[in-house]
Amino acid sequence: MSDLTPTQRSLHAQTPHRLARLHQLGLADHPDEEFDRFTGALARGSGVPGALAMVNAISDRQFFTGLHLPSADELGSVAEAEALASAVGRVMPLEHGYCPETMDRTKPLTLPDVCMKPDFAGNEVVDLVNIRTYMGIRLIDKEMGIPLMTICVVGREARPMEDGRRMLAYIKERGAQGQYLLDQRITALS
């Protein structure tokens, strides 16, 4: 575990509690129709062409409880849509993507162009899925006091830097909606 970044070490330390809670909520390893619908709306409203959107349950891995992938029409071909679906799937290692970093932040993470930051440009998803833009925010289990999930939108085209404020406002607004959905699940357990 010594090769892990500080963010990854922090996530691993909370994994047993987070994983138990995700299982309790039924969000650890099964797609969820409500979160799938939420990610569809999240992608459509993002202003990011051909956006992918996820509700990401993070434990010892990343599991996309909610997932929206762009259609063949949005991407320009059936082959490209199938290749993207194959590359993304519902499971991703903690070392890939930007959601693990988002889990360790108190503020949203917005990257109009991931290649502008060397520490983010080298992430495996840049080449694997051709990610160029990211916006994400964590969702908190308020009863346990730990971050439990993230919601995010990723795009395959860099956005202008001046788009950063709009992206930030959008992900905060949608983060509040995602938090409400998570809070409802937690309340239903009580």
Side-chain angles (χ1 to χ4, degrees):
M1 240 209 266
S2 61
D3 292 351
L4 299 177
T5 67
T7 294
Q8 291 165 343
R9 279 194 294 277
S10 173
L11 289 175
H12 279 291
Q14 293 175 349
T15 293
H17 304 292
R18 186 179 296 113
L19 186 56
R21 185 60 152 183
L22 288 168
H23 276 292
Q24 188 181 33
L25 293 166
L27 300 173
D29 53 12
H30 299 302
D32 183 275
E33 287 182 27
E34 183 175 34
F35 282 126
D36 278 344
R37 284 190 301 275
F38 175 75
T39 58
L42 181 65
R44 284 188 299 278
S46 71
V48 175
L52 294 80
M54 295 90 161
V55 174
N56 192 349
I58 297 181
S59 57
D60 56 340
R61 64 184 181 158
Q62 300 178 73
F63 180 78
F64 303 133
T65 299
L67 177 64
H68 169 81
L69 297 174
S71 68
D73 289 339
E74 291 173 279
L75 294 175
S77 79
V78 171
E80 191 170 350
E82 288 173 352
L84 183 62
S86 175
V88 174
R90 288 266 182 181
V91 178
M92 186 177 286
L94 280 179
E95 296 78 26
H96 293 184
Y98 308 105
C99 284
E101 181 71 29
T102 300
M103 286 284 283
D104 205 37
R105 300 169 58 95
T106 57
K107 296 181 180 178
L109 177 61
T110 56
L111 301 166
D113 184 352
V114 299
C115 293
M116 295 298 289
K117 290 191 162 220
D119 50 335
F120 291 119
N123 195 291
E124 300 222 10
V125 296
V126 172
D127 294 328
L128 180 68
V129 189
N130 194 28
I131 296 304
R132 288 299 303 272
T133 189
Y134 172 91
M135 62 178 120
I137 191 167
R138 69 186 188 171
L139 305 179
I140 305 290
D141 182 328
K142 294 173 184 170
E143 285 183 10
M144 293 184 68
I146 62 170
L148 201 59
M149 308 172 83
T150 62
I151 65 166
C152 71
V153 176
V154 296
R156 300 173 78 199
E157 296 176 16
R159 307 297 301 157
M161 293 311 268
E162 58 270 12
D163 212 16
R165 288 189 195 278
R166 185 200 60 77
M167 291 170 61
L168 181 62
Y170 182 74
I171 202 64
K172 282 181 172 180
E173 173 189 318
R174 297 313 296 244
Q177 293 169 344
Q179 185 67 54
Y180 176 77
L181 294 175
L182 178 60
D183 290 346
Q184 283 186 309
R185 299 289 174 97
I186 293 168
T187 300
L189 289 178
S190 303

